[in-house]
Amino acid sequence: MTIRYTFGGDEFIFVEISEDMSLEAFFKGTAITRELQRRKVDGVTEICPSNASYQVRYDPDVIEPDTLLALLRQIEVEVADATELDIATRIVEVPVLYNDPWTHETLMRFRERHQDPASTDLEYAARINGKKDIEDFIAAHSDSPWFVSMVGFVAGLPFMFQMVERARQLQVPKYLRPRTDTPRLTVGHGGCFGCIYSVRGAGGYQMFGVTPAPIFDPAQRLDYLRDFMVFFRPGDIVKFKPIDRDTYDKAVAAVDAGTFSLRVRDVNFSLGAFMRDPEAYNRSLIEVLNAD
């Protein structure tokens, strides 16, 4: 894994850990940025980790660019074995109404921007991933956990990386041209990343369903949003749960009443243990989620 460093103007260093997203690249960036944050370096004003990269903003009147670059290279060497990094995080169960009427109506309005105008997003995703039908694809999408590698683009939107061997990861290209509309709380997918659209707006990811669970709320009405208006954090683990329309409607009513909550469990995630046996490790995570 060769790391590439690039200066951005007079105040930024952009660090690309890998051209491909992987949990190893994410953990490498996490280890470096956590150590940089721990050192409280004078002149470093912002540290922004991403999927397989990170960016540092600095004050050139306080720290020389080459000095900061040398420090980042030094930290890179010191955290070379990021596979042994453990993080304290959360696993969250997110209910999803797959193949819902709202994303279906939206995707039908934008078929001319899609690779396959004759099919729906779910039908297309199932076909190009070698699944026998939509139900088979939904099972592949919801059976294994997803790792939140970044939150951004719009407030509260999580980018999620499927926690399975690379050969089993679902891959779906984005629309040929972005839509001008996407329903709020759409569960989408583009490339190797899943996401949840925290607000209504433009977007180019394939649309698979909707969740009733708000993940961004400035009013912070629900219990899991009381600490912060943005729910997800990098390092969170998501387990999607398929639900039917009746369950979805009841959840929406609970959201309106302010009584809806998510199933959330604290967990320690070990990249090394996951890499040694992903399926067994995922089962252990799901057992933690389902424990009373």
Side-chain angles (χ1 to χ4, degrees), residues 32-70:
I32 293 171
T33 53
R34 284 188 175 189
E35 177 60 19
L36 180 63
Q37 183 180 38
R38 187 191 67 80
R39 295 190 185 195
K40 296 182 171 61
V41 179
D42 287 342
V44 171
T45 58
E46 292 182 73
I47 305 169
C48 182
S50 184
N51 296 314
S53 62
Y54 68 92
Q55 183 167 269
V56 178
R57 186 176 188 178
Y58 62 95
D59 184 346
D61 292 330
V62 177
I63 185 170
E64 291 285 338
D66 288 340
T67 301
L68 178 56
L69 176 60

Side-chain angles (χ1 to χ4, degrees), residues 3-171:
I3 296 182
R4 183 167 60 188
Y5 295 83
T6 307
F7 286 107
D10 297 328
E11 298 182 347
F12 298 92
I13 295 180
F14 175 71
V15 185
E16 185 180 46
I17 297 169
S18 172
E19 292 183 355
D20 299 323
M21 172 58 199
S22 66
L23 288 178
E24 297 96 314
F26 171 83
F27 269 75
K28 182 84 168 184
T30 296
I32 293 171
T33 53
R34 284 188 175 189
E35 177 60 19
L36 180 63
Q37 183 180 38
R38 187 191 67 80
R39 295 190 185 195
K40 296 182 171 61
V41 179
D42 287 342
V44 171
T45 58
E46 292 182 73
I47 305 169
C48 182
S50 184
N51 296 314
S53 62
Y54 68 92
Q55 183 167 269
V56 178
R57 186 176 188 178
Y58 62 95
D59 184 346
D61 292 330
V62 177
I63 185 170
E64 291 285 338
D66 288 340
T67 301
L68 178 56
L69 176 60
L71 175 61
L72 295 177
R73 291 186 182 275
Q74 176 191 336
I75 294 175
E76 174 195 341
V77 172
E78 292 177 359
V79 301
D81 192 10
T83 59
E84 295 307 315
L85 178 67
D86 294 357
I87 60 171
T89 186
R90 309 174 294 179
I91 183 167
V92 183
E93 183 178 83
V94 176
V96 180
L97 176 61
Y98 288 94
N99 205 16
D100 66 284
W102 305 283
T103 59
H104 181 80
E105 185 277 332
T106 303
L107 66 87
M108 293 306 293
R109 283 192 280 123
F110 292 97
R111 291 329 281 166
E112 80 283 357
R113 305 185 184 206
H114 196 273
Q115 292 87 346
D116 186 0
S119 68
T120 66
D121 291 9
L122 271 171
E123 290 169 343
Y124 172 70
R127 177 169 57 80
I128 68 171
N129 281 277
K131 305 303 179 183
K132 61 183 180 181
D133 52 29
I134 289 175
E135 288 70 25
D136 191 30
F137 180 84
I138 291 172
H141 188 269
S142 60
D143 281 353
S144 60
W146 297 70
F147 195 91
V148 177
S149 58
M150 174 182 159
V151 179
F153 184 70
V154 296
L157 185 152
F159 289 85
M160 297 172 287
F161 186 73
Q162 194 176 23
M163 294 170 57
V164 294
E165 299 89 341
R166 186 173 294 272
R168 293 176 53 207
Q169 286 172 352
L170 301 174
Q171 301 274 348

Side-chain angles (χ1 to χ4, degrees), residues 157-209:
L157 185 152
F159 289 85
M160 297 172 287
F161 186 73
Q162 194 176 23
M163 294 170 57
V164 294
E165 299 89 341
R166 186 173 294 272
R168 293 176 53 207
Q169 286 172 352
L170 301 174
Q171 301 274 348
V172 190
K174 296 189 289 185
Y175 275 44
L176 297 175
R177 289 186 295 130
R179 301 176 303 275
T180 56
D181 190 22
T182 307
R184 175 174 171 264
L185 299 178
T186 289
V187 175
H189 197 104
C192 69
F193 286 110
C195 81
I196 302 172
Y197 284 79
S198 53
V199 296
R200 182 179 182 180
Y205 278 22
Q206 309 284 336
M207 297 181 290
F208 298 157

Side-chain angles (χ1 to χ4, degrees), residues 234-274:
D236 281 343
I237 298 169
V238 173
K239 176 64 173 62
F240 293 118
K241 178 182 179 180
I243 58 174
D244 59 22
R245 177 63 186 272
D246 183 59
T247 303
Y248 174 86
D249 289 341
K250 289 178 180 177
V252 169
V255 170
D256 293 339
T259 59
F260 179 82
S261 191
L262 284 171
R263 182 189 293 267
V264 182
R265 298 287 186 269
D266 293 330
V267 67
N268 288 311
F269 179 78
S270 167
L271 178 62
F274 170 79

